[in-house]
Amino acid sequence: MKNNQWMSLLGLANRARKITSGEELTVKEIRSGNAKLILLSEDASQNTAKKIMDKSNSYNVPVKMVPDREMLGQSIGKEARVVVAVLDNGFAKKLLTLLD
């Protein structure tokens, strides 16, 4: 049940234009201070995971792992996505509680 809840909420955040996806855009949002939460798929490449984790840690942005890239992409209505940045505090807080 919780699985569907976080996916639905992420879809809602996407429709509200409060997320960005993709490695480079996510890193850009982390650097600019806009990213409130990072969702990273467990099947991300080691290089991508390290880059996102290092950048998130240095800017104190929480990172949550999600099962796979297909699920992450499906929740925002796109093809497979490895990383998504949530840009809104409200969505980020709710997603954190749903993913814990």
Side-chain angles (χ1 to χ4, degrees):
M1 181 61 189
K2 278 204 166 195
N3 198 21
N4 295 342
Q5 287 180 325
W6 77 260
M7 289 176 70
S8 297
L9 187 65
L10 193 59
L12 188 64
N14 181 46
R15 289 189 295 281
R17 300 194 183 274
K18 298 294 183 185
I19 67 164
T20 188
S21 64
E23 183 180 348
E24 294 306 317
L25 290 173
T26 297
V27 169
K28 184 178 155 202
E29 294 296 350
I30 293 170
R31 281 193 187 126
S32 66
N34 294 335
K36 309 299 182 212
L37 172 66
I38 305 299
L39 300 176
L40 183 63
S41 73
E42 289 174 359
D43 60 354
S45 72
Q46 281 186 324
N47 289 343
T48 300
K50 181 178 177 354
K51 183 178 185 180
I52 296 297
M53 294 301 269
D54 289 349
K55 195 58 70 180
S56 298
N57 288 337
S58 64
Y59 285 86
N60 295 321
V61 179
V63 177
K64 283 290 175 189
M65 301 303 281
V66 296
D68 60 42
R69 61 183 72 199
E70 281 77 24
M71 190 178 282
L72 197 54
Q74 178 190 355
S75 63
I76 60 172
K78 296 191 165 90
E79 71 275 7
R81 289 288 191 260
V82 174
V83 63
V84 169
V86 179
L87 310 176
D88 179 78
N89 266 327
F91 283 120
K93 284 178 185 169
K94 185 63 178 170
L95 280 164
L96 275 170
T97 60
L98 290 174
L99 287 166
D100 274 340

